[in-house]
Amino acid sequence: MARIVQKYGGTSVGDVERIKKVAERVKLTRDDGNEVVVVVSARSGVTNELIARAKAISDAPSEREMDMLLAVGEQETIALTAMALHALGVPAVSFTGAQAGILTNDAHTRAKIQTITPKQIEEALKQDKVVIVAGFQGINAAGQLTTLGRGGSDLTAIALAAPLKADKCEIYTDVDGVYTADPRIVKTAQKIDEISYDEMLELASSGSKVMQSRSVEFAKKYGVVFEVRSSFNHNPGTIVKEEVSYMEKVVVRGVAVDKDQAKVTVSNIADKPGSAAKVFRALADANVIVDMIVQNVGRNGVANLSFTVPQVDSKKAQQTLAPVLVEIGGGNVTIQEDIAKLSVVGVGMKTHSGVAATLFQTLADANVNIDMITTSEIKISVVISSERVDEAARIAHKVFGLDA
Amino acid sequence: MARIVQKYGGTSVGDVERIKKVAERVKLTRDDGNEVVVVVSARSGVTNELIARAKAISDAPSEREMDMLLAVGEQETIALTAMALHALGVPAVSFTGAQAGILTNDAHTRAKIQTITPKQIEEALKQDKVVIVAGFQGINAAGQLTTLGRGGSDLTAIALAAPLKADKCEIYTDVDGVYTADPRIVKTAQKIDEISYDEMLELASSGSKVMQSRSVEFAKKYGVVFEVRSSFNHNPGTIVKEEVSYMEKVVVRGVAVDKDQAKVTVSNIADKPGSAAKVFRALADANVIVDMIVQNVGRNGVANLSFTVPQVDSKKAQQTLAPVLVEIGGGNVTIQEDIAKLSVVGVGMKTHSGVAATLFQTLADANVNIDMITTSEIKISVVISSERVDEAARIAHKVFGLDA
C-alpha cells in the first residue's frame, strides 16, 4: 500500500462531468490498494468570475476580503468531488485548507505556508477514506482565511506530501508532462521522463508555464518527488526529483521561449558610482521585476543601461524612472517590445563546456542577432528579435540533440 | 448609540448593484452613530445552482458535503458586502458562521444552534468596524461546517441579537412588513405596525410566508424584539415582540390563506381503539406533517378519518397508508387537492368570545361550505374549497374590521 497525493487543476474539475471523471481516476488509484489524498482547484473560470464581481464593487478590494471571497471556489469543488466519490461507493471526506491544518503567515492573497498539521487528514485516512483538500488556501494564526497566490493548489499538494510522508505526489494538469520545448513552437519536442528540480526551476523562470517556481522550490527544499501528468489520459508524465539518471549524459534538457518580455534602455546617464543602484532600487520599490541586465559605458563619461522586464510592467518602469533620471542628472528611457528570450537549460552544462559557444555560433549561422546574454550554472539565455525566436528555438532544439 | 443587527435576504443582495445599495443603507445606520452587525444570505439563485450541481453528481448527496457546498453562497456575499462598505469608506470585516462563534449540533443541513460566542464580533465592534456575518451557517463541536436549514439567515440574525444584547434587530426583505392579509388576495390589506410573537407564529403556520416559525420561536424564547421591513424603501416595517399595545382592543389581527394543502380521507376503517394511532404513527415515521384532523364515526362500526397534509406529501401519505389499512382490516384512501385553509389570527381572541361564530356565520351567509375546523387559543382555521378561499379571505378581512 502506498500513500498518494493527487492534485487536479481547474480544467480537470471544470464542470460536473469532469469532476465525475476525476472521481473515477481517484477510485482506480484507491482500488489498487493506495491511500489517496486529493487536492483540487476551483472550477476553471470561477476564480475570475469572483474577481470580476469584486472589481465591480471596488478598484482595490481589501486583500483580507479577497481571500474570504476566493476561498469559496475550492470549497465548492471539494464538496462536489467528495459527492462524486460517494456516488461511486468510495468513502470520502472534504476538508478546507484550515481543516487540513495548513497554517500560513498573514500575507493575504499571497500567504506563505508556515506549518502543516494534517491531524484530521491522518484520522480520515485511518478510517479508510479518500481525503479531498481545498487547494490554494490556508488559515493564519488569528483564524483568518488566507490564499497562497498563483500556483497555490500545486503548492498545497506538494506541501501536504511532505508531512504526510506520501510515497507519490501527482500533479494532474491538461498537458502530458514537461517537454523539451513548447510543442506548439517546436514540433519535434519530446516529453521528458525525468527532470531535476533545478532544471524545472530554470525552465519555469524561462517562460515554461507548466508550474510556478515556488512549488518546485518547495519540493526541492523538502525533497518531495512529484510527477506532472495529464488528467485526460493515462500516459506516464514527467517525474521531478533531485538526481536524475541521465544527468551525466545529457547536456541540454530543454529549450524555453519567453515572449512576454520588454527591453528597457536607459541611455546617456552619467557614468558615476550609484547611478545604476538608484535605477534598480526605484524599480524594486515599485515591484518591477528585472530579469537580464547589460551596462555599456560609452564615450564622454556617459553610460547606457539595458534590462528586461515583463511586458506588463514596461510602462510602470518608464514612469518610475522619470524622477530618478532627474535626480541622477539626465538621461532617456526607451522601451522595445519586439524582443523575446530564448533559454537552453540542463544540469549537464555544469560539467560540459562549450554550450554557450555552440548556441551563439548556431544563431550566428542562422543570422539571428543576439542582443543580451545571461548565464547561470545550468542555463544560458539570450534576448533576440521576437520575430525570429520560434525559428531560433527549433534550431537550438535540433543542435543540442533534443529532436529525439 | 445603539447596537443594531440587520439581516438582508438573497433578493436584497442578489447582484453587485444591490450589494452596493445594502452597503449604503448600512452606512446610513452607522452614520447615525450606531454599531451595526449585518447578516447576509447567499445571492438569490446561488443556493439553487449549487444544489443543482450536487444533484447532477448524486441523487442523495452526503449532508455533510452539502453543508460544505452550501456554506459557499453566504461566504461570497459577506466578502462582497465588506468590500462594498470599504468602497464607501466604512471600516468593515466579514466573518463566517464559525468565526462568528455560532456553534451548532451535528445535524447537517438542519443544524440547531447550541451556543453563540461572538468574541470576534465584539472585538471588531470595539474597533469601530461594521461586522458582516454569513447567515445560515455554523460549525459543530468537531469543527465541521453546518447549515441551519430553511430560514437559517433570519435565525442567525435573531440568534446573534440575543448574546450581542442588540437594541434592535431588523429583518430586511422584499416586502414592507407583515400584512393583515396577502395584498395580492385582499386589496384592502393593511400593514401591521406591531404584532406579538404568538400571532406571528400562527400566521406563519397558516401560510403567511414572511418568516419561518423557528426564527420567531427563537425570538420569543429569548425575548428578541425584531422588525420586518423592506430593503427597497425606508418605510417603517412591522415590529414583532411579546406584548403589543393594541392587544386588548383588536380581536383579529390577520387573515391567512394556505392553498398548499391536500385533504386525505381514510374511509370505512374499523372503529376500534388504535386504528387512528396506527395511521398517524405511520405518517409520522414517514415524515408527513399532518395539520388538521377530523374523525367521524359512521354507522355499522366503521369510521372516517380526514386530515390535511402539504400537497407535496399527499402521494407519500397514500403510499404510506396502504400497508397500514391492510393491517387494521381494510379501508380506502382518497385525496382531495381542491381545498385550502383560511385562518383568522389574533391574541385578542383569548378574551373575546364569538369570533368563531362570526366567522362561520359570515361564510354561511356567503354560501361557503366549511369542510374542517380547528382552533387554538388565538387562531381559527377552516378548510374550504380552494375556488372560494380568496373571496372568503376578503369577506373575513372585512367582517373583522381589518379593511382600514
Side-chain angles (χ1 to χ4, degrees):
Chain A
M1 187 184 72
R3 181 173 282 191
I4 302 180
V5 175
Q6 298 187 329
K7 179 260 172 178
Y8 294 91
T11 324
S12 305
V13 293
D15 57 34
V16 162
E17 290 313 312
R18 288 191 171 177
I19 289 172
K20 288 181 184 174
K21 292 273 179 213
V22 163
E24 283 166 19
R25 187 179 278 269
V26 171
K27 181 179 190 303
L28 282 181
T29 310
R30 185 172 179 274
D31 287 349
D32 284 344
N34 300 302
E35 290 181 330
V36 193
V37 175
V38 180
V39 175
V40 288
S41 302
R43 288 185 294 116
S44 53
V46 167
T47 303
N48 287 343
E49 276 170 33
L50 294 169
I51 291 173
R53 263 175 229 138
K55 294 281 180 189
I57 284 178
S58 167
D59 291 338
S62 139
E63 294 185 330
R64 191 256 187 212
E65 300 300 340
M66 274 310 279
D67 280 354
M68 181 68 95
L69 182 68
L70 294 182
V72 153
E74 282 74 19
Q75 190 173 325
E76 181 188 326
T77 332
I78 53 172
L80 294 176
T81 306
M83 289 173 190
L85 280 162
H86 295 163
L88 298 176
V90 177
V93 63
S94 71
F95 293 129
T96 62
Q99 291 171 334
I102 298 172
L103 189 75
T104 74
N105 66 6
D106 299 337
H108 283 292
T109 76
R110 53 186 177 281
K112 289 203 157 58
I113 295 176
Q114 292 190 319
T115 62
I116 299 187
T117 316
K119 194 166 153 278
Q120 291 200 55
I121 296 179
E122 290 285 3
E123 279 169 16
L125 288 174
K126 244 178 237 159
Q127 291 162 21
D128 204 27
K129 286 178 183 163
V130 170
V131 175
I132 323 285
V133 178
F136 178 69
Q137 57 176 247
I139 193 167
N140 68 13
Q144 306 306 312
L145 300 193
T146 54
T147 64
L148 307 177
R150 283 196 63 187
S153 292
D154 289 340
L155 185 60
T156 300
I158 287 172
L160 274 174
L164 288 173
K165 299 187 174 57
D167 300 286
K168 284 175 86 173
C169 179
E170 300 172 338
I171 307 291
Y172 284 92
T173 174
D174 47 6
V175 295
D176 269 6
V178 182
Y179 276 74
T180 51
D182 185 337
R184 287 167 302 183
I185 296 173
V186 182
K187 297 271 175 270
T188 51
Q190 307 290 317
K191 194 184 69 197
I192 301 171
D193 294 331
E194 292 189 340
I195 192 169
S196 70
Y197 297 125
D198 287 337
E199 288 171 323
M200 185 82 175
L201 283 168
E202 291 286 18
L203 283 177
S205 70
S206 304
S208 172
K209 294 288 187 296
V210 177
M211 278 178 81
Q212 295 281 310
S213 298
R214 60 195 300 223
S215 300
V216 185
E217 280 163 7
F218 195 102
K220 179 177 159 70
K221 186 170 173 188
Y222 292 96
V224 175
V225 175
F226 65 93
E227 181 178 2
V228 179
R229 54 188 297 180
S230 169
S231 64
F232 299 120
N233 61 48
H234 288 271
N235 301 340
T238 300
I239 293 173
V240 187
K241 54 185 188 177
E242 187 63 49
E243 296 285 334
V244 297
S245 50
Y246 59 77
M247 275 188 172
E248 293 297 312
K249 291 178 292 186
V250 180
V251 180
V252 171
R253 203 57 214 147
V255 172
V257 167
D258 188 353
K259 295 177 182 171
D260 178 34
Q261 295 276 311
K263 179 180 165 188
V264 181
T265 301
V266 189
S267 49
N268 296 319
I269 54 172
D271 180 28
K272 56 185 179 188
S275 295
K278 282 189 177 120
V279 164
F280 292 112
R281 166 53 48 205
L283 292 170
D285 289 349
N287 280 319
V288 173
I289 294 165
V290 173
D291 182 13
M292 300 167 75
I293 302 175
V294 172
Q295 181 167 14
N296 299 318
V297 179
R299 298 178 191 176
N300 309 322
V302 296
N304 296 329
L305 200 58
S306 291
F307 53 87
T308 58
V309 297
Q311 265 182 25
V312 69
D313 283 342
S314 61
K315 293 280 174 294
K316 192 166 153 195
Q318 195 164 31
Q319 288 159 5
T320 304
L321 291 181
V324 177
L325 291 184
V326 173
E327 191 190 331
I328 63 179
N332 309 97
V333 178
T334 51
I335 292 172
Q336 206 183 330
E337 299 206 330
D338 57 351
I339 55 117
K341 186 170 66 166
L342 173 71
S343 306
V344 297
V345 172
V347 285
M349 287 162 64
K350 282 183 189 174
T351 49
H352 288 72
S353 55
V355 174
T358 304
L359 178 65
F360 301 158
Q361 187 60 50
T362 307
L363 294 177
D365 291 348
N367 248 329
V368 174
N369 195 40
I370 298 175
D371 200 355
M372 301 169 81
I373 299 171
T374 56
T375 59
S376 78
E377 259 199 313
I378 66 165
K379 180 174 78 167
I380 301 165
S381 296
V382 294
V383 167
I384 58 181
S385 152
S386 58
E387 269 183 16
R388 304 292 306 274
V389 74
D390 288 357
E391 182 195 347
R394 286 188 285 267
I395 293 171
H397 197 266
K398 187 172 185 190
V399 80
F400 290 112
L402 299 174
D403 271 6
Chain B
M1 185 186 72
R3 179 171 283 191
I4 302 181
V5 175
Q6 297 186 331
K7 181 260 171 177
Y8 294 91
T11 323
S12 304
V13 293
D15 57 34
V16 162
E17 291 313 311
R18 288 192 171 175
I19 289 172
K20 289 180 182 174
K21 291 273 179 215
V22 163
E24 284 166 18
R25 186 178 279 267
V26 171
K27 182 180 189 303
L28 281 180
T29 310
R30 184 170 179 274
D31 288 349
D32 284 344
N34 301 303
E35 291 180 327
V36 192
V37 174
V38 181
V39 175
V40 288
S41 301
R43 290 184 294 118
S44 53
V46 167
T47 303
N48 287 342
E49 277 171 32
L50 293 170
I51 291 172
R53 263 176 231 137
K55 294 279 180 191
I57 285 179
S58 168
D59 291 339
S62 138
E63 293 185 330
R64 191 258 186 209
E65 300 299 339
M66 275 309 279
D67 280 356
M68 181 67 94
L69 182 69
L70 295 181
V72 153
E74 282 74 18
Q75 190 172 324
E76 180 188 326
T77 332
I78 55 172
L80 294 176
T81 306
M83 290 174 190
L85 281 160
H86 295 163
L88 297 175
V90 178
V93 63
S94 71
F95 293 129
T96 61
Q99 291 172 333
I102 297 172
L103 188 75
T104 74
N105 65 6
D106 299 336
H108 283 293
T109 75
R110 52 186 179 282
K112 289 202 157 59
I113 295 176
Q114 291 189 320
T115 61
I116 299 188
T117 317
K119 194 167 152 278
Q120 292 200 56
I121 297 179
E122 290 285 4
E123 279 169 17
L125 289 174
K126 244 177 237 159
Q127 292 163 19
D128 204 27
K129 286 177 184 164
V130 169
V131 174
I132 322 285
V133 178
F136 179 66
Q137 56 177 249
I139 195 166
N140 69 13
Q144 307 305 314
L145 302 191
T146 54
T147 65
L148 306 177
R150 284 195 63 184
S153 291
D154 289 341
L155 185 60
T156 299
I158 286 172
L160 274 174
L164 288 173
K165 298 187 174 56
D167 300 286
K168 283 175 86 172
C169 178
E170 299 172 340
I171 307 291
Y172 284 92
T173 176
D174 48 5
V175 295
D176 270 7
V178 182
Y179 277 74
T180 51
D182 184 338
R184 287 168 301 184
I185 296 173
V186 182
K187 297 271 175 270
T188 51
Q190 307 290 315
K191 195 184 67 198
I192 301 172
D193 293 332
E194 293 188 340
I195 192 170
S196 71
Y197 297 123
D198 288 336
E199 287 171 324
M200 186 80 175
L201 282 169
E202 291 286 18
L203 282 177
S205 69
S206 304
S208 173
K209 294 289 185 297
V210 177
M211 279 177 81
Q212 295 281 310
S213 297
R214 61 194 298 223
S215 299
V216 184
E217 281 162 8
F218 195 103
K220 178 176 160 71
K221 186 169 172 188
Y222 292 96
V224 175
V225 175
F226 63 94
E227 180 178 2
V228 178
R229 53 188 298 183
S230 169
S231 64
F232 300 118
N233 61 48
H234 288 272
N235 301 341
T238 300
I239 292 172
V240 187
K241 54 186 188 177
E242 187 64 49
E243 296 284 335
V244 296
S245 51
Y246 59 76
M247 276 188 174
E248 293 298 312
K249 292 178 295 190
V250 179
V251 180
V252 171
R253 202 58 214 144
V255 172
V257 167
D258 187 354
K259 294 177 184 171
D260 179 33
Q261 296 276 312
K263 179 180 165 188
V264 181
T265 302
V266 189
S267 49
N268 296 318
I269 53 173
D271 181 28
K272 57 185 179 191
S275 296
K278 281 187 178 121
V279 164
F280 292 112
R281 165 53 48 203
L283 293 169
D285 290 347
N287 279 319
V288 174
I289 295 164
V290 172
D291 182 13
M292 300 168 74
I293 301 174
V294 174
Q295 181 166 14
N296 299 317
V297 179
R299 299 180 189 174
N300 311 323
V302 295
N304 296 331
L305 199 58
S306 292
F307 52 88
T308 59
V309 297
Q311 265 181 26
V312 69
D313 282 341
S314 62
K315 292 283 174 293
K316 192 166 150 192
Q318 195 164 30
Q319 287 158 6
T320 303
L321 292 181
V324 178
L325 291 185
V326 173
E327 190 191 333
I328 62 178
N332 308 96
V333 179
T334 51
I335 293 174
Q336 206 183 332
E337 298 207 331
D338 58 349
I339 56 113
K341 184 169 68 166
L342 173 71
S343 305
V344 297
V345 171
V347 286
M349 288 162 63
K350 284 182 188 174
T351 48
H352 288 73
S353 55
V355 173
T358 304
L359 178 65
F360 302 158
Q361 186 61 51
T362 306
L363 293 177
D365 290 348
N367 248 327
V368 175
N369 194 42
I370 298 175
D371 200 355
M372 301 169 82
I373 300 170
T374 56
T375 58
S376 79
E377 257 199 314
I378 66 166
K379 178 174 78 165
I380 301 165
S381 295
V382 294
V383 167
I384 59 180
S385 152
S386 58
E387 268 183 19
R388 304 292 307 275
V389 74
D390 287 359
E391 181 195 349
R394 287 187 284 267
I395 292 170
H397 197 264
K398 186 172 187 190
V399 79
F400 289 113
L402 298 174
D403 270 5

